[in-house]
Amino acid sequence: TTNRASCPGGKYCPAGSTSPIPCPVGFYCPSFSSEPLECNPGFYCPALSGNQLPCPAGTYCNETGTSSPSPCPAGTFCTESTTTPTPCASGYYCKAASSEQVPCAAGSVCSDPSMQVSCVAG
């Protein structure tokens, strides 16, 4: 049987197992784990994760057991570990996968929060 004290991160060792078992996607297995732990919202866990990974800025992870982050939709922005995209405020715009709002430049209009349109002189 495998001694849990020698079980590496990214794998788990249930009582009576003969060798470490790879941690599945959506779960993480710190060193010495006897079972996989489900990834929390705001984090993601690819296969063989020893720790939860924070969803990078520009992405979100809104469910338990997320295996890969989702890109933030156009018209919203996402900071690190976001579970719900934040809508862009009036006077700002946010392209897809934005990590912050961008102010609408002088001479432009941002009536659609996902894009900036230059005003035409005339």
Side-chain angles (χ1 to χ4, degrees), residues 57-59 71-74 76-78 95-100:
T59 68
C72 207
T76 65
F77 67 99
C78 301
K95 294 181 179 180
S98 290
S99 59
E100 61 186 7

Side-chain angles (χ1 to χ4, degrees), residues 13-111:
C13 301
S17 63
T18 57
S19 62
I21 300 168
C23 202
V25 297
F27 292 82
Y28 66 104
C29 300
S31 298
F32 320 118
S33 296
S34 62
E35 63 185 16
L37 304 170
E38 196 162 26
C39 223
N40 292 311
F43 297 87
Y44 71 104
C45 299
L48 302 174
S49 293
N51 297 298
Q52 300 183 91
L53 303 172
C55 281
T59 68
Y60 69 101
C61 301
N62 63 343
E63 297 178 0
T64 302
T66 298
S67 60
S68 64
S70 300
C72 207
T76 65
F77 67 99
C78 301
T79 56
E80 185 179 278
S81 296
T82 293
T83 57
T84 304
T86 303
C88 269
S90 178
Y92 293 83
Y93 71 101
C94 303
K95 294 181 179 180
S98 290
S99 59
E100 61 186 7
Q101 311 182 87
V102 177
C104 199
S108 299
V109 65
C110 296
S111 56

